[in-house]
Amino acid sequence: QVQLVESGGGLVQAGGSLRLSCAASGRTFSSRRMGWFRQPPGKEREFVAGISWSGDSTDYGDSVKGRFTISRDNAKSTVYLQMNSLKPEDTAIYYCATVMGSRWITLLVDYWGRGTQVTVSS
């Protein structure tokens, strides 16, 4: 069993930055692939960023490449998402997740956090 709790969301102006955190409980965190997904209003949930269990490998959705950075601290059982140059289209609920397999898709998620709202004003 893994529990995930996101924090750090809020309201920010376009061009600003936010850092999301996801604190995990459970002994298996350091061996799990971790991902961030988001769900904009009225749209489906989509992949944002993913990181391997060791932190050596990362992957990003096309819309956030060069602006967002995912990282993790296994000693603290926490994964982060640094979001820079935010745009109004980044407005969404952001979810932390543990991801099985080798792809970054929602079907391979076995645990979800409850999400944190990010709103970017123009």
Side-chain angles (χ1 to χ4, degrees):
Q1 185 83 13
V2 176
Q3 292 186 327
L4 305 171
V5 179
E6 302 95 335
S7 62
L11 174 64
V12 64
Q13 289 189 332
S17 299
L18 282 175
R19 189 174 85 150
L20 306 183
S21 299
C22 172
S25 64
R27 294 175 293 177
T28 63
F29 174 82
S30 61
S31 64
R32 305 302 304 274
R33 298 167 74 233
M34 299 298 299
W36 286 97
F37 295 77
R38 68 186 181 186
Q39 188 161 14
K43 298 184 179 181
E44 293 186 352
R45 201 167 294 190
E46 63 182 11
F47 170 69
V48 175
I51 189 166
S52 63
W53 67 270
S54 65
D56 290 345
S57 177
T58 58
D59 201 359
Y60 297 92
D62 289 341
S63 62
V64 307
K65 283 180 180 177
R67 299 188 298 123
F68 291 11
T69 302
I70 189 171
S71 61
R72 68 189 295 163
D73 185 337
N74 286 343
K76 296 181 178 180
S77 296
T78 302
V79 62
Y80 305 97
L81 185 68
Q82 178 67 43
M83 305 186 296
N84 298 329
S85 301
L86 283 161
K87 305 175 181 180
E89 51 263 44
D90 294 317
T91 294
I93 300 175
Y94 283 72
Y95 297 91
C96 175
T98 58
V99 187
M100 301 178 292
S102 60
R103 298 171 64 191
W104 299 105
I105 57 175
T106 57
L107 287 177
L108 292 179
V109 170
D110 51 351
Y111 293 101
W112 291 100
R114 292 187 175 183
T116 185
Q117 176 71 47
V118 171
T119 303
V120 184
S121 63
S122 58

